[in-house]
Amino acid sequence: MYNAKAYAAASATSPFASTRIARRDPTEHDVQIEILFCGICHSDLHLVRGEWSGLMPAVYPCIPGHEIVGRVTKVGSAVTKFKRGDLAGVGCMVDSDGTCPECQAGLEQFCPNMILTYNSPDKHLGGVTYGGYSDSIVVDERFVLRVPSNLNLAGTAPLLCAGITTYSPMRRWGVSKGKKVGVVGLGGLGHMGVKFARAFGAHVVVFTTSPNKKEDALRLGADEVVVSRNANEMQKHAASFDFILDAVSADHDVNAYLQLLRRDGILTLVGAPAKPLAVVAFGLILGRKSLSGSLIGGIPETQEMLDFCGAHNITADVEVIPIQKLNEAYERLLKSDVKYRFSIDMASLKST
Ligand code: NAP
Ligand code: ZN
């Protein structure tokens, strides 16, 4: 074991503070990574503040962070994919059983024994896993991703969650040229959704509650922007969408989007507000529409997404912050005041 520096929350209401944690020495299949950047996902905030306590209670001290990029510092004797000095990425998962049908299908996120990067039982050290708000992490090589060398690293970190979470459902539902695609909520996930939908050739419409994000939405690749609180603007798009991705983190009315789908259209939720949604049955029945969900993506698809981003030069638009600004960043995230992902520069942890 060795000591790593980290930032932890001691309770749902405590601010983050500097701490030291134990990490395991790499075993034969492990990769040790010096973390260079870690994105801040709204899921980190939901979890650490106890908003998902019914489904997933947080264990304190809690160290979130699942959008990790860094450099390999050590590998175990049986590791084949990585060597010291390589760039590496880690997303939301660090382990799974590897034998169940989900794992065999490359959908490790649905494995009943999947281990999350933070707040899951740690089979090596006991307690729970600790995430990327830290200067290093040790992960089984099966869950370490190759990072294209041409991409900006601060903007690459968010691909490990916001990227794959938007890429996967768009691939699954055939977002492509000739399709009209909506993205609801221009946050960390939403802005990646816009970039991918654009790269796949779709006609992209952004729905936002923030009129001041209009110009950015167009710059990020949207063809049209709708301020969703304006009923007239919404009505103009009635019954016209093939696919809508809902990436909203807070309580909102999904019926307003169901009525924008054409026959057989699909509304996929990736946003995970704490409160249950109310759905009007006729909103689905009329037009034979589908409401679905999607959870990150499996390891093979995450690698495919990173390679796609390397080939198309796609990264997140980030505000790079020192870790000392973590508490402030959380408050701004709650106000939808980030363009469009915070990425923590872990060099700032050296001075703590
Ligand atoms: P984020 O950066 O905070 O973005 C959320 C966006 O939702 C905001 O920028 C805002 O966009 C919109 N929004 C916020 N409050 C709203 C309200 N009251 N009514 C309508 N719109 C509102 O969050 P994120 O990191 O992208 O995460 C989004 C959600 O996805 C979270 O719930 C997170 O837990 C979840 N998530 C799910 C997965 C998965 O695998 N399914 C993975 C990661 C995250 P506008 O300003 O444009 O309106
Ligand atoms: Zn996330």
Side-chain angles (χ1 to χ4, degrees), residues 5 34 346-352:
K5 292 182 176 180
E34 178 197 1
M346 283 309 159
S348 59
L349 205 46
K350 291 194 192 340
S351 62
T352 62

Side-chain angles (χ1 to χ4, degrees), residues 42-351:
H42 208 115
S43 302
D44 300 347
L45 186 152
H46 286 309
L47 186 115
V48 83
R49 296 201 170 170
E51 293 175 14
W52 289 344
S53 56
L55 189 70
M56 219 190 294
V59 178
Y60 301 99
C62 179
I63 300 175
H66 58 205
E67 295 186 334
I68 297 167
V69 293
R71 210 167 270 289
V72 174
T73 44
K74 212 187 251 185
V75 297
S77 57
V79 168
T80 57
K81 261 168 58 185
F82 294 92
K83 60 178 190 321
R84 190 165 189 267
D86 285 349
L87 290 173
V90 178
C92 299
M93 307 179 277
V94 290
D95 207 354
S96 71
D97 61 32
T99 55
C100 74
E102 307 293 3
C103 287
Q104 277 169 9
L107 296 170
E108 299 86 353
Q109 73 272 34
F110 304 121
C111 168
N113 299 306
M114 184 264 282
I115 300 293
L116 291 165
T117 304
Y118 62 87
N119 206 58
S120 270
D122 184 335
K123 72 179 183 198
H124 300 269
L125 298 180
V128 292
T129 50
Y130 292 137
Y133 299 179
S134 174
D135 60 0
S136 81
I137 193 163
V138 178
V139 179
D140 186 299
E141 73 164 326
R142 290 189 298 127
F143 288 84
V144 183
L145 286 305
R146 291 184 306 278
V147 171
S149 59
N150 58 315
L151 298 179
N152 167 275
L153 286 184
T156 299
L159 301 179
L160 276 304
C161 176
I164 184 61
T165 302
T166 50
Y167 180 94
S168 182
M170 287 195 180
R171 280 297 199 213
R172 168 153 169 72
W173 297 111
V175 168
S176 55
K177 196 165 165 45
K179 298 284 167 86
K180 185 172 174 185
V181 170
V183 175
V184 188
L186 198 65
L189 266 58
H191 95 290
M192 288 311 306
V194 172
K195 291 188 184 205
F196 287 130
R198 171 77 176 210
F200 299 158
H203 181 89
V204 189
V205 182
V206 164
F207 295 93
T208 181
T209 59
S210 310
N212 65 344
K213 292 182 183 173
K214 254 184 156 172
E215 274 178 30
D216 279 347
L218 296 171
R219 176 181 57 78
L220 290 164
D223 296 285
E224 300 177 65
V225 187
V226 173
V227 175
S228 53
R229 293 201 165 115
N230 181 325
N232 282 341
E233 276 190 54
M234 292 288 279
Q235 203 45 44
K236 283 187 198 146
H237 292 273
S240 66
F241 283 88
D242 298 286
F243 176 77
I244 299 177
L245 188 74
D246 183 332
V248 173
S249 54
D251 188 29
H252 65 292
D253 178 22
V254 290
N255 301 295
Y257 296 100
L258 289 174
Q259 59 107 11
L260 302 188
L261 293 173
R262 65 165 75 219
R263 173 175 53 77
D264 292 331
I266 290 152
L267 174 62
T268 296
L269 302 177
V270 285
K275 199 172 152 211
L277 303 167
V279 176
V280 177
F282 274 109
L284 292 168
I285 293 169
L286 299 173
R288 202 166 62 179
K289 297 163 185 175
S290 300
L291 175 61
S292 71
S294 193
L295 177 68
I296 48 172
I299 293 297
E301 195 177 39
T302 305
Q303 190 62 62
E304 176 191 305
M305 178 273 311
L306 284 168
D307 295 344
F308 181 89
C309 288
H312 293 82
N313 228 339
I314 294 175
T315 52
D317 282 30
V318 288
E319 278 191 46
V320 177
I321 58 160
I323 200 156
Q324 291 78 5
K325 292 235 162 114
L326 192 50
N327 294 309
E328 197 181 302
Y330 267 52
E331 292 316 308
R332 287 186 50 201
L333 188 61
L334 262 185
K335 289 190 237 148
S336 307
D337 173 26
V338 46
K339 293 186 171 171
Y340 278 87
R341 196 56 139 190
F342 289 115
S343 186
I344 308 167
D345 181 353
M346 283 309 159
S348 59
L349 205 46
K350 291 194 192 340
S351 62

